[in-house]
Amino acid sequence: MFKIFDVSGSGMAAQSLRLNTVASNLANADSVSSTPEGAYRAKEPLFSAVQRAMGGAKNADADSTVGVQVKGVTESQADVQARYEPGNPMADDTGYVYGSNVNPIDELVNMITASRSYQNNVEAMNTTKQLMLKTLDLGK
């Protein structure tokens, strides 16, 4: 029964990272650079589901760990935006500045789904805790 806390905890950690990358992306959504290579690129976390047997048990289901593993954070490969702004101090020789490839609408959707997923993991932990306490009360 304690494995539920491990699963929810790993999910909460993953969603917390996701919320941090969304915050970073939104903070840099309007940034500009003088080169396409220097423009901010949206960060995207990579997750995978894991299930590993612990301790070499014969019955893997009885002694295994499941959850979410963070594989890393990558940069979006979408094209950056080139805007003609010859008066901008960051403009290159041809008068262009290069904006980030962050899509604020996608980031807001990611923020909402990550927040709800985090909240669902908290609820699962709270429900498990309440069930465990009620089980202990049965023995009184």
Side-chain angles (χ1 to χ4, degrees):
M1 191 126 177
F2 288 106
K3 291 179 190 176
I4 294 172
F5 294 112
D6 293 337
V7 172
S8 292
S10 70
M12 289 169 60
Q15 296 310 322
S16 179
L17 175 68
R18 189 171 168 204
L19 285 169
N20 285 335
T21 57
V22 166
S24 176
N25 290 342
L26 288 174
N28 291 292
D30 293 327
S31 65
V32 293
S33 176
S34 58
T35 63
E37 296 80 24
Y40 181 83
R41 295 189 177 272
K43 308 286 188 252
E44 299 170 342
L46 295 172
F47 305 121
S48 69
V50 292
Q51 181 170 2
R52 339 176 244 271
M54 304 294 285
K58 289 182 181 178
N59 184 358
D61 290 338
D63 195 18
S64 64
T65 301
V66 294
V68 179
Q69 180 181 21
V70 177
K71 290 288 192 180
V73 178
T74 62
E75 290 185 346
S76 171
Q77 297 304 310
D79 293 333
V80 296
Q81 304 169 0
R83 295 189 305 250
Y84 184 68
E85 294 181 12
N88 191 320
M90 294 291 294
D92 63 9
D93 295 337
T94 59
Y96 283 92
V97 293
Y98 301 91
S100 70
N101 63 356
V102 175
N103 183 340
I105 295 171
D106 287 345
E107 296 302 321
L108 291 174
V109 170
N110 281 335
M111 181 178 61
I112 290 168
T113 56
S115 176
R116 288 188 179 160
S117 181
Y118 188 94
Q119 185 178 13
N120 288 339
N121 281 303
V122 169
E123 284 296 320
M125 290 179 91
N126 285 336
T127 300
T128 302
K129 182 181 93 174
Q130 289 173 355
L131 288 171
M132 290 176 132
L133 290 173
K134 290 202 182 273
T135 302
L136 290 173
D137 285 343
L138 289 175
K140 289 184 180 179

